Structure formats: C-alpha cells, structure tokens
Amino acid sequence: MSTRDNGPALHPTRIDLPPEIRVDIITLLNQTLAHTLDLRSQVKQACWNVKGKDFFPLHTVFTTIATALDGYADLMAERIAILGGVVMGTVRMAALLSQLPEYGSTLVAGNDHVGALVERFALYASVIRGNIMQAADVEDAGSAAVYTDISRGVDKQLWILESHLQR
C-alpha cells in the first residue's frame, strides 16, 4: 500500500489512473458518500415523522427516494473500492464529513418536510454536478459517469419533490 502526503492508503489495482489522482477522487467520492448517507437519513426522518392528509403518498415517495439514495451510496462505495480506496461509510464518518444542513426535529406537516428536502436535494444536486466536472478534469471518466448517473436520478427526485409543492 502506498500513501500520498499522509493521505489514505491505496490498495493495489491495475486501474491506470495515477495514485495522486486516485487519492483525490477517492476523497471526493467519500465526501459525496457522506452527503448521500446524511441525505438518506434526513429523508427517512421525514418518512417517519410526516403527518397529515398527504401522509400516505409522501411516505411512499420518501421511501422510494431513500431506496434510490441507497443505490447511489452503493455506486460510490463500489467506485471507491475499484480505485483501491477505503470506503468511509459509517454513520459517524458521514456525520463528520457531511456539509448538509441538519434536519429539523419539529417538522410535521407534509409540505414542511417536502420543503426541507427540496432545499437539501438542490444543494446535493449542485454538489454532484460539480463533482462530474472535477472527475472529468482529471480524466477519470469512470467516476464522472458514476456522478452523471447519480445526477440524473437526483434531478428527477428534486423534480418530484418540487412538483408536490406546486399546487
């Protein structure tokens, strides 16, 4: 295993990206993984606490979105492992790395939950799009493709959430 500037250890791989680029992309992917795990937990918070006449449809939407976020987390974790990195995927690790705003504990009404999630999904979508560019800039087409796939899904989920608010 090798390290760069006391950075994370790399497992051997024949991926033809230079080690310093792999370390940078692994760091970026782990940061995004933290956001993803945090966002998923916030969606579950909304799912568990939503009340009111829209309970059932919102509970269903939130559950579907949480499942999609699980898939995104798996894509990122797999890419980290492929690049020879260590996945930083515990709740405590995510809490340290995530920069998403904390989810309110007093939210009850459906539109309040949807509004809070729209705010977080918009931020998350922006981060994902920026990460596409960062991966492309260092010629890591594989990671850029992972981010692109996630971006399409996140944009769709944001659209679904925003549509609920447009009554």
Side-chain angles (χ1 to χ4, degrees), residues 82-128:
I82 287 166
L83 294 173
V86 174
V87 179
M88 307 297 282
T90 71
V91 172
R92 290 180 188 160
M93 292 171 183
L96 289 174
L97 293 175
S98 179
Q99 298 169 349
L100 294 178
E102 181 58 67
Y103 199 81
S105 63
T106 60
L107 299 177
V108 174
N111 279 349
D112 293 342
H113 284 291
V114 174
L117 292 177
V118 162
E119 175 187 323
R120 284 148 183 83
F121 264 85
L123 176 60
Y124 183 68
S126 178
V127 167
I128 297 294

Side-chain angles (χ1 to χ4, degrees), residues 15-158:
I15 299 285
D16 65 347
L17 290 170
E20 59 276 3
I21 288 177
R22 288 176 35 222
V23 167
D24 289 345
I25 292 295
I26 289 164
T27 301
L28 184 68
L29 285 161
N30 269 316
Q31 177 72 51
T32 312
L33 178 62
H35 288 120
T36 305
L37 296 173
D38 186 14
L39 184 57
R40 186 219 181 261
S41 73
Q42 293 188 34
V43 170
K44 291 304 287 185
Q45 180 74 10
C47 185
W48 295 326
N49 289 293
V50 67
K51 306 282 188 256
K53 63 180 176 58
D54 291 331
F55 166 79
F56 186 74
L58 286 177
H59 184 80
T60 302
V61 167
F62 297 160
T63 299
T64 301
I65 290 173
T67 300
L69 289 164
D70 285 337
Y72 306 154
D74 285 344
L75 286 173
M76 281 178 266
E78 289 167 2
R79 186 66 185 164
I80 292 165
I82 287 166
L83 294 173
V86 174
V87 179
M88 307 297 282
T90 71
V91 172
R92 290 180 188 160
M93 292 171 183
L96 289 174
L97 293 175
S98 179
Q99 298 169 349
L100 294 178
E102 181 58 67
Y103 199 81
S105 63
T106 60
L107 299 177
V108 174
N111 279 349
D112 293 342
H113 284 291
V114 174
L117 292 177
V118 162
E119 175 187 323
R120 284 148 183 83
F121 264 85
L123 176 60
Y124 183 68
S126 178
V127 167
I128 297 294
R129 276 191 292 285
N131 292 348
I132 294 168
M133 298 308 300
Q134 283 188 259
D137 286 348
V138 295
E139 299 180 4
D140 181 359
S143 296
V146 167
Y147 279 123
T148 300
D149 289 345
I150 293 169
S151 177
R152 280 192 293 269
V154 170
D155 286 348
K156 182 177 178 181
Q157 290 151 353
L158 179 57

